[in-house]
Amino acid sequence: MHQLDRLCYAVVVLVVIGATVAEAATGTFIYAGCSPSKYQPGTPFEGNLNSLLASIANAAPNGGYNSFTAGSNGTGDGAAAYGLYQCRGDLGNADCAACVRDAVGQLNEVCAAAYAASLQLEGCYVRYDSSNFVGQPDNAMVYRKCSTSTSGDGDFLKNRDAVLAALQGGLANGYKVSSSGNVQGVSQCLGDLAAGDCTTCLAQAVGQLKGTCGTSLAADVYLAQCYVRYWANGFYFRPSQGTPNSATRIRIFQPCVSESKNPNQFSSNLS
């Protein structure tokens, strides 16, 4: 019913400062997306969504990934809610739970009454929809950031390529960090992806990084089911801490296909 809303969004933000993954607070906002379609208060979908988000928050202390369905009764009335959460692979259960609670709270503020929404913090990701997206192949790009600082230095490019090559394979639990020289990187796939699908997703993300960010000293690409990030020392992206405010731009895009077929549409906002 609202399936076309699923990827009709993207967000662009951000400040470039020196940091490492470990130094960036888990609650740091990266992006959010909200569907243009809204549900009415008091509808069955609202009740199912509240139940779903409660299940997500309650499950986070017990593991880094899980998916849920609320209200699926086989009637096809469109009232069911589907969702998942995932924490960064190096987080312990307590930090994961805190991050997910934060993300759920921010979703309620940023995407109030949206039929579909997702929110990515530094330490975790939460997504819900009125259509069942869980486990469905989806490599659409939802967020990209390239630093304005670039380098054609041969050592930098060699180290960057070594990091990106390492991030594409051999992921333990779908998460991997890598470093070479002064370049570091991290990658992760959603917990429901098979190993082969994870590798395919990461390869596409790396291709997007190289193809659209060129020789940038730092770059992030988030596809719907995986992400890859790299940075040279001193060029790690870290957006503002806390709930998005007027400085954080959240955009709703339509038609959806333009996100996956024309990634350069974001270029003017990603300097």
Side-chain angles (χ1 to χ4, degrees):
M1 179 176 178
H2 302 279
Q3 189 169 7
L4 289 179
D5 294 335
R6 291 191 303 126
L7 288 172
C8 300
Y9 47 73
V11 78
V12 290
V13 345
L14 298 56
V15 178
V16 181
I17 65 175
T20 66
V21 170
E23 292 169 343
T26 57
T28 300
F29 178 87
I30 296 180
Y31 73 82
C34 318
S35 71
S37 297
K38 306 292 184 180
Y39 59 82
Q40 294 300 311
T43 58
F45 180 78
E46 181 184 40
N48 290 332
L49 177 60
N50 289 338
S51 176
L52 175 84
L53 294 177
S55 295
I56 285 175
N58 291 335
N62 302 315
Y65 170 86
N66 213 330
S67 61
F68 297 91
T69 302
S72 180
N73 55 15
T75 64
D77 58 5
Y82 307 86
L84 58 80
Y85 75 89
Q86 176 155 292
C87 289
R88 203 175 66 205
D90 61 340
L91 293 189
N93 286 351
D95 289 336
C96 175
C99 185
V100 170
R101 286 195 303 269
D102 191 4
V104 168
Q106 291 194 38
L107 267 180
N108 288 330
E109 295 181 34
V110 175
C111 297
Y115 264 112
S118 66
L119 189 139
Q120 178 77 57
L121 301 181
E122 180 67 40
C124 62
Y125 171 71
V126 174
R127 179 180 176 185
Y128 74 81
D129 203 318
S130 59
S131 298
N132 189 3
F133 65 93
V134 179
Q136 302 299 315
D138 189 352
N139 287 343
M141 185 172 69
V142 294
Y143 170 85
R144 185 192 71 220
K145 176 69 179 178
C146 312
S147 70
T148 55
S149 299
T150 62
S151 174
D153 177 72
D155 285 341
F156 162 71
L157 295 175
K158 179 180 177 181
N159 289 329
R160 182 205 66 177
D161 289 348
V163 167
L164 293 179
L167 293 177
Q168 292 183 67
L171 276 69
N173 300 317
Y175 176 79
K176 190 169 187 177
V177 295
S178 180
S179 64
S180 178
N182 70 333
V183 180
Q184 303 175 65
V186 60
S187 63
Q188 187 168 17
C189 290
L190 276 183
D192 60 3
L193 277 191
D197 293 333
C198 177
T199 299
T200 298
C201 188
L202 294 173
Q204 184 170 333
V206 168
Q208 294 276 9
L209 281 177
K210 290 184 175 181
T212 61
C213 293
T215 59
S216 292
L217 285 168
D220 297 350
V221 164
Y222 285 78
L223 305 185
Q225 294 182 311
C226 70
Y227 66 82
V228 176
R229 313 170 71 180
Y230 78 83
W231 61 96
N233 292 345
F235 288 90
Y236 183 74
F237 295 128
R238 184 165 64 183
S240 299
Q241 174 70 21
T243 303
N245 53 33
S246 59
T248 301
R249 293 166 290 175
I250 298 171
R251 298 194 169 191
I252 299 172
F253 292 95
Q254 286 190 327
C256 303
V257 293
S258 63
E259 287 191 22
S260 58
K261 292 187 178 180
N262 185 18
N264 291 324
Q265 71 172 341
F266 304 129
S267 296
S268 62
N269 298 311
L270 294 169
S271 57

